[in-house]
Amino acid sequence: MQKQVLSLYRGFLRAARSKSPEDRHQVETIVSTEFRQNSKQVDRKNFIYIEYLLRRGKKQLEQLKSPDTCQIIIIECKFITNQKF
């Protein structure tokens, strides 16, 4: 799973190269920030949530690869664990 995460990260950086310099910088900054935040906040044993983030990231990457897309927007999604019912 770690290889998938690194591959996705590299994919975002490659896709950013095809954008204008301003957009490229913005994409690289957002991607770097998101990956760092998730690496600190998400439990490494929470495979279900990590798989969800991978699927969401792959969809965002496909959208970013489109020539019509110049920016990405972050939608914050919180996953609550240890919730009592």
Side-chain angles (χ1 to χ4, degrees), residues 3-81:
K3 288 182 181 182
Q4 290 175 302
V5 172
L6 292 173
S7 175
L8 183 63
Y9 183 76
R10 286 191 306 268
F12 272 107
L13 296 181
R14 277 190 217 105
R17 287 187 214 144
S18 67
K19 306 302 175 189
S20 71
E22 301 87 25
D23 294 333
R24 177 181 180 172
H25 178 71
Q26 180 197 25
V27 169
E28 289 172 346
T29 302
I30 290 173
V31 168
S32 176
T33 302
E34 281 293 304
F35 273 79
R36 283 204 173 104
Q37 281 180 346
N38 285 328
S39 73
K40 292 175 184 173
Q41 294 175 354
V42 176
D43 181 16
R44 294 174 192 261
K45 296 177 184 172
N46 192 345
F47 300 117
I48 294 172
Y49 188 59
I50 294 170
E51 287 174 351
Y52 161 75
L53 289 173
L54 280 169
R55 283 192 310 273
R56 192 176 91 180
K58 287 176 185 176
K59 288 178 185 176
Q60 289 176 331
L61 178 57
E62 288 305 311
Q63 290 175 343
L64 183 63
K65 285 180 179 179
S66 168
D68 299 330
T69 304
C70 58
Q71 296 180 348
I72 58 175
I73 298 173
I74 301 301
I75 300 173
E76 194 163 329
C77 183
K78 298 288 183 184
F79 186 76
I80 301 171
T81 58

